[in-house]
Amino acid sequence: MKYADFKYERIEIKEVQKDFKELINQFLDADSFQKQCSIIDNINKIRDEFISMHILSELRKCLGVDKELYRKECDYYNEAEPIFDGLVCDYYKVLNNSKFKEELVEKFGEQLFKLAEMKEKCVSDNIVVDLQHEKKLVTEYVDLFDSVTREFEGEELGIWDFSTHINSNDRNMRKHAYENETELFKEHEEKMHDLFDRFVKTRHEMALKMGYENFVEMGYARMNRIGYDKDMIAKFRKQIQEYIVPLNSELAKRQSKRLGVDKLKYYDEPVHFLNGNAELKGDPKEMIDKTLKMYRELSNDTNEFFKHMVDKNLFDVEKREGKEEGGFCTFIPKYKAPFIYSVCRGTIDDFVVFTHEAGHAFQFYLCKDYDIPEYCVPPEDVCEIHSKAMEFLTEPWLEDFFGDDADKYMYSLMSTGLSKLAYIAAIDEFQHFVYEKPFATYEERNSHWRELEKKYIPHRDYEENDFLEKGSYWLRQSHVFWGPFYYIDYGLAQITAFNFWHKAQEDREKVWEDYMNVCRVGGSKPFVDVVKLGNLKSPFEDGSIEEIANSIKEYICELEDRLK
Ligand code: ZN
């Protein structure tokens, strides 16, 4: 089936409720393990149907198809989803208490039951209204950030439109652009913080109702942190501070030398070379041909995968009137179909879509036949590994896309990855502060954030930008609004991807095999097991990051020499 043949119809939550309840009763009454298995099957069919229609409505809204209609459908699902989540939670409860649990674990593996436990820790009937309220806040967030604009260089720009100018080679231009973008945040600062504060208080209250001291533990459960806790994450951040932060400061010094400036300012950070960052060669159509060639040569599996994506029209990357901004990959379980969404602009980001998002799509493709939905779509800590690692495993094809700029691209990929790690650690620590002290004021949040920047990004210099200097940078990070504690997953994935890259320097074929093993298990194993399966070191282990940091440093200095 091609994408155009996928049918949308609204799934009435009342029907779902009725069917779900009946199946749960049947599950409780079932007198054999086989009967319970077939009920699980039926429950999963209902779940797949609901999730697929929800995803299709969102996708079509983003694509700009019958916008009004699908917007309404999305609003409907936002209301219905917490109820649906509650039903899934009911199912998880009976699953975990099944009299045939031993056999079920034997058949489906432990991970399903662990995931079930996590869900029980963060969803319950008495917080459905709060969850619905939280969903509404997400919509409010999207509307607020999408609606604000400012005139810049004769154009009316939205809040996310400044990036091209901020990445400009012309120092005055990027400074000017950054300042103007800052003004936009300044103008709407109060509204933004008020919204953020409502997010925090809503979550805090939910956590109290669930019997927690604050939202932190509940947030961890929501992110399915299985097999590690906040102390282990703190250990990971500590290693970043010890081995990555000093390396970043050294790279910043080299960067300022390359750019011929006395001191690197905040607006210089995105530009790595005096004559500009790497540029993508060719238009979107050529990109697709080159991507086909890349995945054909990478392996038989990737060849089959990408051909499938092209044949079934499972991506939409064109820039069009009415199509929303964004870049993501999703999975429509009913049709066992991954889908890649982005808006190509002829910049490096277009390439990232075909490596990063295609990494997600590749894993979905490999896991599409798992009967258990939890195993097709892994939690974020695991799924970002597939995408991040793909960005590095496609290294041998960079010349096709970047020509002479391939080394420059690789340099930026590595150094941006390193600085991102430090930034991620700061955001993660910040969110612990936010939810441990839910009644902190805006000023307290800002001053704590500025302290964290000094700890993790000590070379950052905001010059005379008062707004950023007082500590308001974090308002730019969308995840702190809609996805608390999500951000560290990018860090876990980044270090794991660096680990893959490091090992690929010695034996590419072996690393590809390891990567395939990691993708094939999908969500059926927790993060720590997945890392082991990939023959990689756990980022929570002391000493796991030092070796990688040294290897990157050596490589990146060599690259820099070549680029001189
Ligand atoms: Zn991703």
Side-chain angles (χ1 to χ4, degrees):
M1 247 173 143
K2 292 196 177 207
Y3 171 73
D5 304 320
F6 297 176
K7 280 202 176 56
Y8 172 77
E9 66 182 332
R10 184 190 277 202
I11 304 296
E12 292 300 336
I13 190 71
K14 288 222 162 71
E15 294 287 311
V16 175
Q17 262 175 318
K18 203 178 102 231
D19 296 345
F20 234 91
K21 283 193 173 140
E22 198 179 314
L23 285 166
I24 284 175
N25 285 333
Q26 284 176 19
F27 188 90
L28 289 168
D29 292 341
D31 53 9
S32 76
F33 153 70
Q34 283 83 3
K35 269 190 200 152
Q36 286 202 334
C37 286
S38 89
I39 295 164
I40 291 176
D41 231 26
N42 288 333
I43 287 180
N44 285 336
K45 273 192 196 112
I46 300 180
R47 293 172 69 196
D48 282 352
E49 190 76 36
F50 181 87
I51 290 167
S52 298
M53 294 309 120
H54 184 182
I55 290 175
L56 272 181
S57 65
E58 271 182 0
L59 199 52
R60 291 189 180 165
K61 177 180 85 73
C62 291
L63 287 165
V65 186
D66 287 331
K67 203 137 189 113
E68 276 316 299
L69 169 79
Y70 286 110
R71 198 182 170 94
K72 255 189 225 145
E73 292 306 287
C74 288
D75 289 344
Y76 163 76
Y77 286 104
N78 284 344
E79 289 268 321
E81 204 178 27
I83 301 170
F84 177 77
D85 275 352
L87 294 170
V88 175
C89 200
D90 292 342
Y91 155 61
Y92 280 159
K93 261 183 216 147
V94 295
L95 188 67
N96 259 336
N97 292 307
S98 161
K99 44 193 170 207
F100 305 106
K101 186 166 171 186
E102 233 171 78
E103 286 113 307
L104 290 173
V105 171
E106 175 88 13
K107 182 175 162 82
F108 298 116
E110 244 180 59
Q111 178 70 351
L112 174 62
F113 299 85
K114 292 260 169 67
L115 288 166
E117 267 171 43
M118 288 293 148
K119 189 91 168 180
E120 277 187 67
K121 282 185 171 180
C122 54
V123 177
S124 117
D125 288 344
N126 67 338
I127 58 163
V128 168
V129 177
D130 308 78
L131 288 168
Q132 283 171 331
H133 181 63
E134 191 187 7
K135 288 250 165 215
K136 282 205 186 107
L137 293 180
V138 175
T139 311
E140 206 181 309
Y141 170 82
V142 174
D143 290 345
L144 172 63
F145 278 70
D146 275 357
S147 66
V148 301
T149 60
R150 183 180 169 87
E151 203 195 293
F152 182 73
E153 302 280 304
E155 257 185 298
E156 200 62 28
L157 295 187
I159 213 155
W160 312 120
D161 293 335
F162 284 85
S163 67
T164 339
H165 305 290
I166 282 174
N167 286 294
S168 167
N169 260 351
D170 175 352
R171 198 176 195 214
N172 287 327
M173 171 55 90
R174 60 181 183 256
K175 179 176 190 235
H176 186 46
Y178 224 132
E179 285 168 350
N180 268 274
E181 193 209 56
T182 304
E183 283 304 314
L184 198 45
F185 277 92
K186 239 182 183 167
E187 272 169 42
H188 302 278
E189 179 180 15
E190 232 179 272
K191 266 187 269 168
M192 288 174 182
H193 186 258
D194 169 66
L195 174 59
F196 181 72
D197 199 52
R198 281 184 283 137
F199 264 116
V200 175
K201 303 232 157 91
T202 304
R203 287 172 186 144
H204 182 67
E205 262 166 43
M206 265 194 283
L208 295 186
K209 283 188 195 168
M210 294 290 287
Y212 298 104
E213 187 190 342
N214 57 47
F215 180 73
V216 178
E217 203 183 329
M218 182 171 162
Y220 269 56
R222 232 189 226 194
M223 293 310 297
N224 293 300
R225 310 238 171 265
I226 297 167
Y228 58 100
D229 56 18
K230 85 179 192 189
D231 293 337
M232 285 162 85
I233 296 233
K235 253 190 179 176
F236 174 48
R237 290 198 308 261
K238 183 111 206 309
Q239 290 194 72
I240 292 178
Q241 194 195 346
E242 267 171 25
Y243 302 107
I244 306 292
V245 172
L247 178 54
N248 285 343
S249 293
E250 197 189 318
L251 291 177
K253 265 189 216 136
R254 286 164 177 262
Q255 192 178 351
S256 68
K257 238 188 233 160
R258 279 200 309 274
L259 296 180
V261 298
D262 282 346
K263 194 168 183 305
L264 199 72
K265 303 290 179 186
Y266 70 104
Y267 48 80
D268 294 321
E269 288 180 28
V271 179
H272 293 120
F273 302 96
L274 190 57
N275 58 356
N277 289 347
E279 273 176 36
L280 197 64
K281 316 273 184 256
D283 57 29
K285 168 81 188 60
E286 282 169 60
M287 277 277 303
I288 293 170
D289 293 340
K290 288 174 189 170
T291 310
L292 260 166
K293 173 182 173 283
M294 172 169 81
Y295 285 125
R296 187 168 62 232
E297 292 169 2
L298 180 57
S299 77
N300 287 337
D301 294 291
T302 48
N303 179 31
E304 201 185 280
F305 149 72
F306 205 73
K307 260 178 35 201
H308 177 84
M309 298 295 286
V310 174
D311 289 347
K312 309 286 177 199
N313 296 333
L314 294 176
F315 56 83
D316 191 309
V317 297
E318 193 185 51
K319 186 174 164 57
R320 275 195 313 271
E321 185 72 30
K323 185 174 162 182
E324 286 178 19
E325 283 303 315
F328 58 83
C329 175
T330 186
F331 181 69
I332 308 158
K334 182 177 181 184
Y335 300 106
K336 295 179 188 281
F339 193 97
I340 296 175
Y341 180 99
S342 89
V343 181
C344 281
R345 297 163 180 274
T347 64
I348 286 187
D349 292 343
D350 302 355
F351 177 69
V352 175
V353 166
F354 281 118
T355 50
H356 183 98
E357 303 305 341
H360 285 304
F362 181 53
Q363 177 266 315
F364 291 145
Y365 176 77
L366 290 176
C367 296
K368 64 186 184 321
D369 293 319
Y370 273 118
D371 292 331
I372 301 291
E374 289 81 351
Y375 294 174
C376 300
V377 182
E380 284 75 5
D381 57 355
V382 168
C383 80
E384 289 301 333
I385 300 176
H386 314 126
S387 49
K388 263 282 155 215
M390 189 66 107
E391 291 180 30
F392 290 93
L393 293 166
T394 45
E395 185 184 351
W397 288 270
L398 289 180
E399 262 183 55
D400 290 354
F401 296 89
F402 294 99
D404 293 343
D405 277 358
D407 277 349
K408 267 187 173 180
Y409 173 77
M410 201 54 201
Y411 186 95
S412 297
L413 183 68
M414 300 300 268
S415 68
T416 311
L418 291 169
S419 49
K420 198 81 191 277
L421 267 175
Y423 174 67
I424 289 167
I427 288 281
D428 185 60
E429 199 167 323
F430 177 66
Q431 295 187 89
H432 283 83
F433 168 82
V434 164
Y435 291 101
E436 275 161 14
K437 302 210 167 14
F439 299 104
T441 62
Y442 181 45
E443 288 69 28
E444 285 165 337
R445 284 175 185 151
N446 282 343
S447 81
H448 192 76
W449 168 254
R450 194 65 191 106
E451 282 312 304
L452 289 171
E453 276 184 324
K454 286 176 183 159
K455 176 174 171 184
Y456 289 104
I457 317 167
H459 58 269
R460 179 159 288 177
D461 181 348
Y462 283 127
E463 212 174 40
E464 70 263 32
N465 190 322
D466 303 338
F467 181 76
L468 298 177
E469 184 56 44
K470 76 169 185 194
S472 296
Y473 188 97
W474 62 270
L475 285 176
R476 305 160 55 98
Q477 193 54 58
S478 70
H479 299 69
V480 304
F481 288 81
W482 58 259
F485 298 108
Y486 186 128
Y487 219 56
I488 196 70
D489 288 330
Y490 292 117
L492 294 172
Q494 181 71 56
I495 202 69
T496 311
F498 272 146
N499 209 335
F500 268 126
W501 168 85
H502 170 57
K503 292 179 61 154
Q505 305 307 301
E506 276 160 27
D507 190 345
R508 270 194 68 83
E509 268 174 43
K510 174 75 183 65
V511 163
W512 181 255
E513 237 175 74
D514 290 340
Y515 175 74
M516 283 297 291
N517 288 334
V518 162
C519 287
R520 278 199 195 101
V521 294
S524 67
K525 296 267 184 277
F527 175 81
V528 266
D529 290 10
V530 169
V531 168
K532 258 187 230 147
L533 247 166
N535 288 310
L536 306 165
K537 277 187 188 147
S538 159
F540 306 123
E541 251 169 62
D542 278 333
S544 59
I545 293 183
E546 189 179 6
E547 193 187 324
I548 300 172
N550 288 337
S551 151
I552 296 176
K553 186 177 170 181
E554 204 178 295
Y555 172 82
I556 215 167
C557 293
E558 260 175 50
L559 260 184
E560 198 186 18
D561 283 344
R562 276 219 296 275
L563 285 163
K564 262 176 195 156

